[in-house]
């Protein structure tokens, strides 16, 4: 049965008890980093865990059945919207997304400008960490436009923190795309976000 993506005010419901102290420190660092870089606190943090497939590895995206299990490692996307005055400084025809990563030594900061009625451009020839956020963004915006053909995204500031090992078979890219899409949907007041629509959106977005 389809369910809404849960919203919580406490990380205690997200992690095993043994992980709470380390996660509290991690989340505090995320908030402090966001405030240092953007001069304000995020509106919220979207989270998507990594996973293991107990049955059916690498067949789910071909629509075969699998039995996945979420794990405690995850991707966090902290997000703030620019206020309307700031948002319109760049003009009414485009939105600006500033993308930062807590691991700034490995993942450099980036900014992209998106036509209000368009999509984020992704260069498939370049392996950029920001492409995963853009993929989730495009999927979320596409879903929002199904309900409102005139929908245009707001300018956003994001900070990403992830501890799902890349290339380890733990769905790090899927977690990143899913957290990104969830963040964009919630930022634009899509509530509730249903689990099934988010999963289907993320599958298509990652493959595109």
């Amino acid at each position: 049965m389809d369910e809404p993506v849960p919203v919580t005010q406490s990380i205690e419901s997200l992690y095993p008890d043994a992980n709470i102290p380390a996660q509290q420190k991690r989340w505090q660092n995320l908030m402090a980093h966001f405030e240092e870089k953007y001069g304000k606190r995020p509106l919220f943090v979207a989270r998507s865990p990594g996973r293991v497939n107990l049955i059916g590895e690498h067949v789910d995206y071909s629509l075969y059945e699998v039995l996945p299990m979420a794990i405690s490692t995850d991707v966090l996307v902290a997000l703030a919207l620019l206020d309307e005055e700031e948002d319109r400084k760049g003009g009414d025809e485009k939105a600006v997304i500033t993308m930062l990563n807590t691991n700034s030594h490995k993942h450099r900061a980036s900014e992209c400008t998106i036509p209000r009625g368009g999509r984020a451009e992704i260069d498939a020839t370049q392996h950029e960490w920001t492409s995963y956020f853009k993929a989730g963004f495009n999927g979320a915006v596409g879903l929002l436009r199904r309900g409102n053909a005139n929908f245009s995204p707001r300018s956003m500031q994001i900070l990403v923190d992830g501890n799902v090992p890349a290339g380890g078979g733990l769905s790090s890219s899927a977690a990143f795309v899913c957290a990104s899409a969830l963040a964009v949907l919630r930022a634009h007041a899509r509530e509730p976000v249903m689990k099934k629509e988010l999963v289907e959106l993320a599958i298509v977005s990652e493959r595109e």
Side-chain angles (χ1 to χ4, degrees):
M1 181 179 293
D2 199 9
E3 300 177 329
V5 175
V7 178
T8 182
Q9 302 295 324
S10 171
I11 68 169
E12 279 75 12
S13 63
L14 302 177
Y15 303 102
D17 290 345
N19 291 8
I20 296 298
Q23 290 296 339
Q24 284 177 331
K25 183 177 181 180
R26 178 182 172 219
W27 280 67
Q28 288 167 358
N29 289 340
L30 177 71
M31 296 297 181
H33 194 154
F34 193 100
E35 193 162 6
E36 176 190 349
K37 295 298 183 181
Y38 293 123
K40 57 187 171 186
R41 292 180 66 80
L43 289 176
F44 59 82
V45 178
R47 171 185 181 266
S48 182
R51 66 173 183 180
V52 291
N53 271 331
L54 303 180
I55 299 174
E57 186 65 20
H58 291 299
V59 297
D60 49 339
Y61 40 75
S62 297
L63 303 182
Y64 290 99
E65 294 183 352
V66 295
L67 180 60
M69 179 183 76
I71 56 178
S72 58
T73 54
D74 54 22
V75 175
L76 308 176
V77 177
L79 182 149
L81 292 171
L82 271 66
D83 62 40
E84 290 191 11
E85 183 177 346
E86 290 179 303
D87 194 10
R88 298 300 175 181
K89 283 181 179 178
D92 291 340
E93 301 303 317
K94 59 186 180 181
V96 178
I97 302 178
T98 305
M99 296 167 283
L100 304 180
N101 196 297
T102 54
N103 188 357
S104 57
H105 297 294
K106 184 176 181 180
H107 304 300
R108 61 184 178 84
S110 181
E111 186 174 277
C112 69
T113 300
I114 301 169
R116 298 279 184 188
R119 292 162 49 92
E121 292 293 330
I122 299 173
D123 185 353
T125 66
Q126 300 294 320
H127 188 67
E128 298 284 348
W129 73 272
T130 53
S131 296
Y132 296 101
F133 179 83
K134 292 177 183 178
F137 172 91
N138 286 341
V141 168
L143 178 62
L144 291 164
R145 285 184 179 142
R146 286 182 220 163
N148 176 9
N150 296 318
F151 169 81
S152 62
R154 295 273 302 276
S155 294
M156 292 176 278
Q157 298 164 320
I158 70 158
L159 176 63
V160 175
D161 182 274
N163 61 6
V164 185
L170 300 177
S171 298
S172 58
S173 58
F176 195 171
V177 172
C178 193
S180 301
L182 178 59
V184 175
L185 289 171
R186 184 164 174 78
H188 293 88
R190 171 80 177 203
E191 294 186 25
V193 177
M194 303 305 291
K195 289 182 179 180
K196 184 179 179 182
E197 70 178 358
L198 180 61
V199 169
E200 291 174 347
L201 177 160
I203 289 171
V204 173
S205 298
E206 185 181 358
R207 293 178 69 179
E208 287 183 345

